[in-house]
């Protein structure tokens, strides 16, 4: 497995007015993983479907798309993008049941993120209140429920933003062509994290 990717940050479609600056997963990223971890005809699920990037890429690659999305406007947007309206369900992944969706072969998803000191609830689109501990518990519930709609051995790819705080630097290496993509010392050595600490003031 390649441990670093350099992809174009682009979306094939424009979002409607009022949504233009919302966060979406680039289609290039979804396509890379669906090509690697699923086959034509497979069922692909995104339990945090958003504006449907996973579903539309899956559809284009001849996979059968399924999604769950909390936000009604986003569900409506996805329905306009796909011919199979039943592909997306308006609902809360924390209540996901096996009867909602046929068993799937692959999952690509990008969950809602939370800063550790945020007090809003990402699982209610930052509407209600939450804590970081409750958020982690909700993440666990969501992925436990997801398991009920996945075939054993399905690949689950989770795109997780690295919510960097001050003091963390990610280093990637320019490749001069001699270096294989696993890095000089093997798998995982193609990038580094530098953590910057400061001695406590007296
Ligand atoms: C990071 S976005 C996903 C973006 C998506 N990959 C795309 O390209 O549009 C996370 C999505 O999870 C949805 N979400 C938040 N809480 C949810 C819940 N409880 N159940 C289902 N979806 C939820 C949000 O509305 C948001 O659209």
């Amino acid at each position: 497995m390649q441990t670093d990717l350099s992809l174009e940050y682009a979306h094939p479609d424009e979002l409607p007015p009022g949504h233009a600056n919302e966060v979406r997963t680039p289609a290039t990223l979804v396509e890379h993983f669906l090509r690697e971890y699923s086959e034509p005809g497979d069922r692909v699920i995104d339990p945090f479907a958003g504006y449907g990037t996973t579903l539309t890429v899956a559809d284009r690659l001849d996979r059968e798309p399924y999604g769950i999305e909390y936000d009604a406007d986003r569900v409506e947007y996805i329905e306009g993008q796909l011919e199979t309206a039943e592909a997306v369900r308006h609902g809360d992944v924390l209540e996901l049941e096996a009867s909602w969706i046929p068993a799937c072969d692959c999952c690509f998803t990008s969950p809602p993120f939370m800063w550790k000191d945020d007090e809003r609830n990402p699982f209610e689109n930052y509407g209600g209140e939450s804590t970081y501990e409750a958020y982690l518990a909700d993440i666990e519930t969501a992925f436990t429920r997801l398991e009920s709609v996945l075939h054993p051995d399905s690949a689950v790819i989770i795109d997780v933003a690295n919510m960097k705080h001050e003091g963390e630097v990610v280093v990637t290496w320019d490749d001069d062509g001699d270096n294989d993509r696993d890095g000089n010392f093997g798998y995982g050595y193609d990038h580094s994290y530098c953590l910057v600490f400061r001695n406590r003031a007296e």
Side-chain angles (χ1 to χ4, degrees), residues 10 15 18 23 25 27 51 65 76 79 81 83 88 104 108 111 118 121 133 139 152 174-175 180 182:
L15 292 179
V23 173
T25 311
Y51 293 92
E76 198 180 316
E79 285 170 345
Q81 299 287 309
E83 283 180 13
V88 61
C104 291
F108 182 100
D118 202 343
N121 186 355
E133 286 66 33
I139 285 281
D174 284 341
D175 190 347
D180 68 33
D182 277 348

Side-chain angles (χ1 to χ4, degrees), residues 10-81:
H11 306 291
D13 52 314
E14 266 186 37
L15 292 179
H19 294 251
N21 295 324
E22 294 291 347
V23 173
R24 279 194 291 171
T25 311
T28 45
L29 180 63
V30 179
E31 179 164 348
H32 171 85
F33 284 104
L34 292 193
R35 284 193 185 282
E36 186 149 346
Y37 292 103
S38 69
E39 303 283 335
D42 278 359
R43 294 191 189 118
V44 171
I45 181 170
D46 186 345
F48 300 100
Y51 293 92
T53 311
T54 304
L55 281 71
T56 48
V57 172
D59 188 48
R60 177 161 56 77
L61 298 180
D62 296 323
R63 279 69 165 162
E64 226 179 285
Y66 290 93
I68 298 152
E69 172 53 46
Y70 188 83
D71 181 276
D73 288 349
R74 296 178 194 198
V75 170
E76 198 180 316
Y77 179 78
I78 297 174
E79 285 170 345
Q81 299 287 309

Side-chain angles (χ1 to χ4, degrees), residues 149-162:
V149 294
L150 288 176
H151 284 305
D153 256 3
S154 324
V156 177
I157 303 108
I158 307 170
D159 166 34
V160 189
N162 185 9

Side-chain angles (χ1 to χ4, degrees), residues 92-153:
D92 183 345
V93 71
L94 299 176
E95 292 167 7
L96 170 62
E97 288 177 14
S99 60
W100 286 12
I101 280 170
C104 291
D105 307 287
C106 179
C107 166
F108 182 100
T109 196
S110 182
F113 306 123
M114 184 178 196
W115 291 98
K116 207 167 178 183
D117 48 7
D118 202 343
E119 291 173 352
R120 300 166 306 155
N121 186 355
F123 277 81
E124 292 175 1
N125 268 343
Y126 305 93
E129 290 184 3
S130 188
T131 61
Y132 194 65
E133 286 66 33
Y135 167 73
L136 294 180
D138 285 344
I139 285 281
E140 188 175 346
T141 302
F143 284 95
T144 303
R145 289 196 171 245
L146 175 71
E147 207 183 345
S148 69
V149 294
L150 288 176
H151 284 305
D153 256 3

